Amino acid sequence: MIQLLVSSFYNTLIDEEDAIPTSTMLAFDRIRKNTKIAILTNRLEEEVLYYNRDYPFIDYIVSLNGGILYDVEKATHHSFATFTKEEVEEIESLFPKNKVKVLSEDSIYKIEVSLEKRKQKLPKIKNYQVSILERNKEFFLEIGKNTPYEAIKKIMEINSLQPDNVLAIIGNDSEIPIAEHIKNCYGIENASKKLKKLTKKTTSNLEKGVEKVIEKEMK
């Protein structure tokens, strides 16, 4: 039985107008009685909470590529590994010609480097989680110390769930570790080839891919 639905936010749940279709919201509402809903975001939780303001449907938000887990009902945070000031400075030194953005709440959980294109020559970065994020036709090198799966494991622990109780729908390379651990995992059509090789398939975020998985798996 599916007791936790995990959905990526960017490139997956929201469409090209940064909206969640009304029919998708109704699909969430239909399953909420028996299913927790966790939303994954590559950036800050506030961007996701905006969508929860008028029509609450979210139980957990995993932000900054797994850096922070937020329990919406309890308004509590669980934090994971962070960067030191020295580590940030070392990474910044590798990209003297790129715009480097540090993403943080109380501490630094993620670093984004603006790229001209998805595939370009990059310096070797060891001992970190590294992925590419495409957002509004812009590309960013993501550097972090966590993966979203670590936060999902924490949610499973809190709710006494097993991997078979989880359904995941993802669309960004930073979320690939979820596909490596959750068997019932779908990749959105507009995701990278690397991600889609590890997942079941659904349509793009422009064709209500999340909603179609809910209708298929949670009748």
Side-chain angles (χ1 to χ4, degrees):
M1 179 179 177
I2 296 169
Q3 295 176 274
L4 174 63
L5 172 65
V6 177
S7 174
S8 178
F9 184 64
Y10 290 118
N11 302 315
T12 305
L13 180 57
I14 55 174
D15 60 23
E16 60 187 351
E17 297 179 352
D18 287 349
I20 303 174
T22 300
S23 57
T24 302
M25 293 299 298
L26 291 173
F28 281 129
D29 189 61
R30 178 176 64 80
I31 67 172
R32 284 211 70 214
K33 183 177 180 180
N34 299 309
T35 307
K36 299 289 186 181
I37 297 174
I39 303 298
L40 313 173
T41 177
N42 303 66
R43 293 180 175 164
L44 301 175
E45 68 188 42
E46 285 80 6
E47 298 179 19
V48 178
L49 279 173
Y50 170 81
Y51 294 80
N52 202 57
R53 183 180 59 188
D54 297 326
Y55 196 84
F57 70 101
I58 303 171
D59 296 290
Y60 300 98
I61 299 173
V62 177
S63 61
L64 299 174
N65 293 19
I68 301 177
L69 169 62
Y70 179 57
D71 184 319
V72 177
E73 181 180 358
K74 296 179 180 178
T76 56
H77 292 86
H78 181 91
S79 301
F80 295 87
T82 62
F83 286 98
T84 65
K85 180 181 178 181
E86 291 73 22
E87 288 172 328
V88 172
E89 291 175 348
E90 181 181 2
I91 291 172
E92 288 177 330
S93 70
L94 297 174
F95 300 94
K97 297 182 179 180
N98 299 74
K99 180 181 178 180
V100 179
K101 184 177 182 179
V102 172
L103 294 162
S104 64
E105 291 287 354
D106 54 330
S107 299
I108 299 170
Y109 295 91
K110 180 187 168 186
I111 299 170
E112 279 188 1
V113 181
S114 295
L115 304 176
E116 293 181 2
K117 53 186 178 180
R118 175 181 283 273
K119 293 184 178 180
Q120 63 184 80
K121 188 175 181 180
L122 298 170
K124 292 184 178 181
I125 303 172
K126 299 180 179 179
N127 304 320
Y128 298 118
Q129 298 293 328
V130 179
S131 55
I132 301 291
L133 170 66
E134 181 178 353
R135 175 76 180 132
N136 294 331
K137 299 182 180 180
E138 295 183 306
F139 298 96
F140 304 90
L141 178 68
E142 304 179 289
I143 306 169
K145 288 191 169 185
N146 308 284
T147 75
Y149 180 67
E150 294 162 22
I152 297 305
K153 282 199 301 182
K154 185 66 178 179
I155 297 173
M156 291 166 58
E157 177 185 318
I158 292 169
N159 293 279
S160 300
L161 303 178
Q162 298 299 318
D164 288 346
N165 301 129
V166 182
L167 169 63
I169 311 159
I170 58 177
N172 302 292
D173 283 1
S174 59
E175 296 145 5
I176 285 176
I178 294 175
E180 294 172 340
H181 293 88
I182 300 299
K183 183 178 179 180
N184 200 6
C185 184
Y186 284 78
I188 215 81
E189 175 59 33
N190 45 296
S192 69
K193 293 180 180 179
K194 181 180 179 181
L195 184 151
K196 288 190 289 187
K197 285 181 179 179
L198 298 172
T199 60
K200 303 177 185 179
K201 307 298 186 295
T202 187
T203 54
S204 76
N205 62 323
L206 306 183
E207 300 174 292
K208 303 180 182 180
V210 170
E211 181 181 331
K212 289 180 180 178
V213 173
I214 293 173
E215 295 301 326
K216 177 182 178 181
E217 296 281 349
M218 306 180 72
K219 296 180 180 179

